[in-house]
Amino acid sequence: TVIILHTALFNSHKNVALLANKEATAKEVLDRIQTAYEHLPDFLKGGVKEWNKKSIEFENGSKIFADATSGSSIRGKSIFLLYIDECVTGDTKVTVRNKKTGEISQVSISALYDLYK
């Protein structure tokens, strides 16, 4: 929350996308950012041009917006910082390559976690 807020407040014209498996989850993260902003001392707060349930736009041109993950949720947008929450499960497969043998295989996230814990 604090890193996302810092990025938007102290960098001009940067877009920050908050993506989650459900829109409500992404909006919850945006709510936490709003709470953090409200607790900042006045001298650190940047001006807010627009504040709604799915986005914030600051006077410095930076924007934070929340959306559910989909094939088109951030298509065509230039993103400086991307926050992804709860978009994979333990069953999600990733492709890995063994550096020693060169073998390429697909492994579930939970199996990969078990290998390296």
Side-chain angles (χ1 to χ4, degrees), residues 2 11 19 35 45 55 67 72 82 84 90 94 96 102 107 117:
V2 174
N11 293 284
L19 298 180
T35 301
K45 291 181 181 179
S55 66
D67 208 347
S72 62
L82 176 61
I84 302 174
V94 293
V96 295
V107 182
K117 67 177 179 176

Side-chain angles (χ1 to χ4, degrees), residues 5-88:
L5 181 59
H6 180 274
T7 299
L9 282 176
F10 299 107
N11 293 284
S12 298
H13 304 285
K14 302 294 183 192
N15 288 329
V16 178
L18 310 174
L19 298 180
N21 61 338
K22 296 178 183 169
E23 186 178 292
T25 305
K27 288 198 276 188
E28 181 184 332
V29 175
L30 192 64
D31 286 343
R32 284 186 262 155
I33 292 169
Q34 180 177 4
T35 301
Y37 177 85
E38 289 169 352
H39 285 87
L40 286 174
D42 288 339
F43 71 92
L44 286 177
K45 291 181 181 179
V48 176
K49 284 174 68 174
E50 183 178 358
W51 198 300
N52 61 49
K53 292 184 182 219
K54 288 183 65 177
S55 66
I56 307 166
E57 184 174 357
F58 295 102
E59 286 183 345
N60 67 0
S62 291
K63 298 175 191 171
I64 303 172
F65 53 91
D67 208 347
T69 52
S70 72
S72 62
S73 57
I74 58 172
R75 182 174 289 158
K77 295 180 179 172
S78 298
I79 305 299
F80 180 75
L81 178 65
L82 176 61
Y83 173 89
I84 302 174
D85 185 76
E86 296 183 34
C87 293
V88 296

